Amino acid sequence: MADFQNRDMAKRVLDKIKESGVEAKFMHVCGTHQDTLVRNGLDAMLESTGIRILQGPGCPVCVTTPNEIEESIKLADSGIVVTVFGDMLTVPGAERSLAHAKGDGADVRIVYSIMDALRMAKDDPNKEFMFMGIGFETTTPATSLALLSQPPDNFSILSCHRTVPKALRALVNMGEVKLHGLIEPGHVSAIIGEEPYQFLSTEYNIPQVIAGFEPLDLLMSIFMLTQQIKEGRAEVENEYFRVVKPEGNPKAIEAMAKTLVESDVKWRGFPVLPGTGLEISDKFEAFNSRKKYEDLLSPIWDMDFPEPAGCKCGEILRGIMEPQDCPLFGKACKPGSPVGPCMVSFEGGCSIAYKYGKRGN
Amino acid sequence: MCLAVPGKVIALDGAISKVDFGSGVIREVNMSMLEIEIGDYVIVHAGFAIQKVDEKEAKETLKLFEELMEKT
Ligand code: SF4
């Protein structure tokens, strides 16, 4: 495969970014982009340029609310087998996490794919199984395809899926950060294509580049954004065209349209963001945990859970604070004893900063 | 979460394929979102291939980078 880690080329692109003289703040919304930036020291290299990269709400586990975690804990405590992706296990709800529930005797199982959860349900028809559907558009089609595959009666999904473009509209409308450009997530875009981002350029005049995940992809995307600014353009460009097609993945889009409907959901650190959630459509309501276990879950829906004391995850997810600015970072809050979800998920800003040895303030 | 990794399709059986991720890691992957052939490179996320990697476009990308660097 082609070499996207070429150091000479990376240095040349970095020099060009510096030469451009552009001073701007760009935001990405993807934990994997953050990982590439920090792991390869690109964030430090960019300090010599006029460009600052902010991380937005790009970690699906981090933006999941305490209410959703409480829903899953409630089902686990009620004897339902709860299947989740690994990094959901230790995210704290109101007090306990799913790991605590497991320690208290609940049947909580880590799966790599929703297909594993389906298989478990089929193999064990006497138990009820719930799959916690977390993730942006990259992950959602799998949930849709599972729904379309005639799941067994003892299987249901707690949909906590969220969508990116409309969340970006909300973030821009909040006006806390002035963004000069957006680095769009390559694998979300592999599904949805280029069009859904268009309004951010036409209505808000924000340059955008869809970016891949190698160091060179990111540097090149940043360079392309500086060029748009220099030339007074605001459009959606696609640096990751070896994977992202303008139309996205039509089969995945169709599967999502058949099974899910938009909903208004809260994101951690944000208020309710209209149209940014995906709930299971009425046609598939037999597999919707919220319908199937409404009596158990509905008391949780309107509860208000405070954020963990002192945790700045909300500010980090909105791009107005860095992990190192949190007084608990690396002290009371570490990967082994996380206070907030940004330290739990391997895509969380705090865990990435900690892992690659960022200095706490 | 959105972490997705490239691999090469080495066997196909209906919607289920075997994908080689290198270093001896081979896994079953669901292909129902794509039309693929053995030998294709795909991006895999949570057990599903979400898109193909176009090798020609990959080389094209690097050429384009070169051109952009020359031009500016
Ligand atoms: S370091 Fe811990 S407490 Fe501070 S914002 Fe991150 S997760 Fe929250």
Side-chain angles (χ1 to χ4, degrees):
Chain A
M1 294 220 96
D3 177 16
F4 283 90
Q5 298 185 342
N6 185 320
R7 282 183 176 273
D8 289 344
M9 187 65 171
K11 179 148 188 330
R12 279 167 70 196
V13 182
L14 195 72
D15 287 344
K16 290 279 182 190
I17 294 172
K18 211 181 293 181
E19 267 170 41
S20 77
V22 171
E23 297 205 359
K25 277 188 194 154
F26 300 150
M27 180 181 271
H28 70 75
V29 279
C30 176
T32 316
H33 277 158
Q34 183 65 12
D35 191 85
T36 302
L37 279 171
V38 181
R39 176 161 39 98
N40 298 287
L42 302 183
D43 56 340
M45 289 178 205
L46 285 163
E47 277 170 18
S48 64
T49 72
I51 305 302
R52 289 291 159 272
I53 308 289
L54 310 174
Q55 43 182 326
C59 160
V61 170
C62 306
V63 298
T64 303
T65 58
N67 299 64
E68 288 164 320
I69 295 157
E70 283 300 311
E71 286 180 291
S72 67
I73 293 174
K74 181 76 193 175
L75 294 184
D77 284 345
S78 306
I80 291 146
V81 183
V82 167
T83 60
V84 286
F85 293 133
D87 51 353
M88 211 53 226
L89 200 66
T90 49
V91 180
E95 277 159 18
R96 295 153 76 225
S97 65
L98 279 168
H100 291 122
K102 191 176 164 73
D104 293 340
D107 195 345
V108 180
R109 302 183 195 176
I110 290 177
V111 290
Y112 162 70
S113 167
I114 191 168
M115 286 313 189
D116 301 339
L118 268 179
R119 208 171 300 128
M120 287 174 189
K122 284 182 186 152
D123 289 348
D124 203 349
N126 296 322
K127 285 187 183 147
E128 290 287 317
F129 287 77
M130 177 275 261
F131 172 78
M132 193 173 185
I134 308 283
F136 299 137
E137 291 93 329
T138 320
T139 323
T140 315
T143 295
S144 295
L145 289 167
L147 284 168
L148 291 167
S149 73
Q150 296 184 316
D153 292 344
N154 62 332
F155 178 80
S156 69
I157 297 168
L158 184 76
S159 176
C160 307
H161 290 296
R162 287 172 168 78
T163 56
V164 169
K166 284 190 179 164
L168 290 172
R169 180 194 289 276
L171 189 115
V172 172
N173 280 342
M174 283 168 77
E176 280 181 327
V177 275
K178 172 88 188 94
L179 295 180
H180 306 104
L182 280 163
I183 301 167
E184 301 296 8
H187 291 146
V188 164
S189 311
I191 300 293
I192 66 175
E194 298 173 3
E195 198 281 328
Y197 302 110
Q198 199 61 52
F199 71 92
L200 289 157
S201 289
T202 41
E203 286 177 42
Y204 297 89
N205 211 27
I206 300 177
Q208 305 177 74
V209 176
I210 295 169
F213 300 92
E214 299 289 353
L216 203 46
D217 286 316
L218 271 175
L219 284 174
M220 204 61 206
S221 305
I222 292 165
F223 171 72
M224 287 163 77
L225 285 173
T226 61
Q227 293 307 102
Q228 285 203 40
I229 290 177
K230 264 184 91 166
E231 291 161 19
R233 292 181 288 127
E235 46 197 66
V236 183
E237 290 182 300
N238 182 4
E239 178 277 332
Y240 197 35
F241 61 90
R242 63 188 187 274
V243 171
V244 176
K245 307 294 157 229
E247 71 281 11
N249 182 330
K251 280 194 182 182
I253 294 171
E254 192 194 331
M256 290 195 286
K258 275 188 184 155
T259 51
L260 303 165
V261 286
E262 274 187 4
S263 62
D264 302 337
V265 292
K266 204 182 134 38
W267 295 45
R268 189 186 292 265
F270 293 82
V272 170
L273 304 184
T276 60
L278 290 171
E279 189 51 275
I280 295 167
S281 68
D282 289 347
K283 197 169 162 215
F284 294 89
E285 69 177 21
F287 307 106
N288 182 348
S289 305
R290 293 197 180 91
K291 289 275 162 68
K292 194 169 182 177
Y293 308 113
E294 187 166 354
D295 293 351
L296 288 171
L297 298 181
S298 57
I300 300 168
W301 296 340
D302 295 323
M303 285 185 183
D304 213 0
F305 299 107
E307 290 298 317
C311 177
K312 303 291 181 196
C313 265
E315 284 79 357
I316 290 167
L317 292 166
R318 299 205 300 279
I320 56 172
M321 241 176 131
E322 294 287 335
Q324 302 89 280
D325 301 330
C326 171
L328 305 185
F329 177 79
K331 300 186 180 86
C333 185
K334 292 181 187 179
S337 53
V339 174
C342 300
M343 191 58 96
V344 176
S345 172
F346 64 85
E347 285 202 317
C350 301
S351 94
I352 292 171
Y354 190 86
K355 180 156 122 207
Y356 300 114
K358 297 295 248 187
R359 49 281 143 189
N361 290 340
Chain B
M1 269 301 309
C2 298
L3 180 70
V5 278
K8 188 175 184 173
V9 180
I10 54 168
L12 253 181
D13 181 9
I16 303 301
S17 72
K18 283 206 165 64
V19 174
D20 185 349
F21 294 99
S23 324
V25 181
I26 294 173
R27 292 193 84 138
E28 275 195 357
V29 172
N30 188 308
M31 291 285 159
S32 37
M33 277 180 233
L34 296 174
E35 308 280 346
I36 48 137
E37 290 170 21
I38 290 176
D40 283 346
Y41 281 89
V42 288
I43 298 282
V44 178
H45 169 70
F48 285 77
I50 59 166
Q51 197 47 279
K52 279 194 240 190
V53 187
D54 192 324
E55 276 188 280
K56 233 174 61 211
E57 302 274 44
K59 291 198 185 97
E60 199 56 35
T61 308
L62 291 177
K63 241 174 59 201
L64 194 92
F65 287 0
E66 278 293 344
E67 277 169 28
L68 271 172
M69 288 300 102
E70 301 289 316
K71 201 176 78 186
T72 46

